[in-house]
Amino acid sequence: MKIGIIGSGNIGGTLTRRLRSLGHDVTVANSRGPESLADLAAETGATAGTVEDAVRDAELVAIAIPVKAVPDLPAQLFDGKLVIDTDNYYPQRDGEIPELLDRSLSSSRWTADRLNGARVVKVFNTIQAGHLMENGKPAGSPDRIALPVAADDADAKRVVMELVDELGFDPVDAGTLDESWRQQPDTPVYGTDRDAEGVRQGLAEARP
């Protein structure tokens, strides 16, 4: 697939490395410009570009940036795009966003509302970057880590679940974007390496 990645930190950099190792065509961008990505591009064979470069021709775009930076993205570029939202809202970093502080909206719904017509899928927000890099296993392996995947668009969810499996993790259907609060920080599945049954149990046990 032709994949754009916005953000080159822990999760963005890890996804760049993993997806390139699987043979995907990756363009990576960040807020500091393509020049700052020269080392990552040289290491992985990814293309360093602008945000516009990463989004324009991509079949799938992953965003791995602070939630507070989402409104700065060029929303019109995302119309109709399949977008993976890996972000978590941390008030101490992202500041006070009232509807996220009071949990009246999931952070993914808030993000989707700011990306024009994007088909947003929530995943990769519950796993540590080092585990995403190193702990993928073939399908059927015992103790394979599972990742919750939430989206409103069934086709977008299917595509992303297949990608999660390709990366070495069991995808678990976590419902809609409005239900994705069940995988946000301070829930049973957040930051844990549960198997598929454990993720389903953790999602069910989550409380607002």
Side-chain angles (χ1 to χ4, degrees):
M1 294 178 73
K2 189 169 179 55
I3 296 174
I5 297 177
I6 300 173
S8 58
N10 289 337
I11 294 294
T14 298
L15 284 172
T16 299
R17 292 176 175 92
R18 289 296 321 278
L19 293 169
R20 278 297 301 142
S21 74
L22 295 171
H24 294 286
D25 179 356
V26 175
T27 298
V28 60
N30 64 15
S31 60
R32 298 184 301 280
E35 306 78 20
S36 68
L37 296 164
D39 289 347
L40 182 60
E43 174 195 339
T44 61
T47 300
T50 63
V51 169
E52 288 77 7
D53 294 331
V55 176
R56 190 179 300 110
D57 298 321
E59 299 168 71
L60 181 155
V61 180
I63 56 172
I65 59 177
V67 168
K68 66 181 178 182
V70 169
D72 298 330
L73 295 172
Q76 69 282 0
L77 280 183
F78 290 86
D79 191 15
K81 292 289 185 181
L82 199 172
V83 174
I84 289 177
D85 171 22
T86 76
D87 297 345
N88 288 305
Y89 173 59
Y90 301 116
Q92 65 273 25
R93 179 196 66 190
D94 297 310
E96 292 193 9
I97 301 174
E99 53 268 58
L100 299 186
L101 273 175
D102 68 14
R103 293 180 175 253
S104 59
L105 284 184
S106 69
S107 66
S108 287
R109 173 63 65 201
W110 186 87
T111 293
D113 287 347
R114 278 147 189 81
L115 298 180
N116 247 6
R119 302 156 63 209
V120 173
V121 181
K122 184 72 162 190
V123 70
F124 302 126
N125 72 301
T126 59
I127 188 170
Q128 297 176 35
H131 295 187
L132 179 59
M133 187 72 201
E134 299 169 2
N135 292 2
K137 296 181 178 180
S141 298
D143 302 321
R144 197 185 199 211
I145 295 170
L147 300 177
V149 184
D152 297 339
D153 185 304
D155 185 59
K157 185 185 286 184
R158 177 190 57 78
V159 170
V160 173
M161 290 178 84
E162 289 174 358
L163 189 65
V164 169
D165 182 53
E166 186 184 2
L167 286 162
F169 304 93
D170 280 336
V172 171
D173 191 329
T176 66
L177 291 184
D178 288 331
E179 294 173 284
S180 67
W181 63 267
R182 294 179 180 274
Q183 66 195 76
Q184 291 181 172
D186 302 321
T187 62
V189 299
Y190 176 76
T192 59
D193 290 336
R194 297 179 177 223
D195 63 10
E197 186 51 43
V199 166
R200 292 187 192 97
Q201 180 180 345
L203 292 170
E205 291 173 350
R207 295 292 177 265

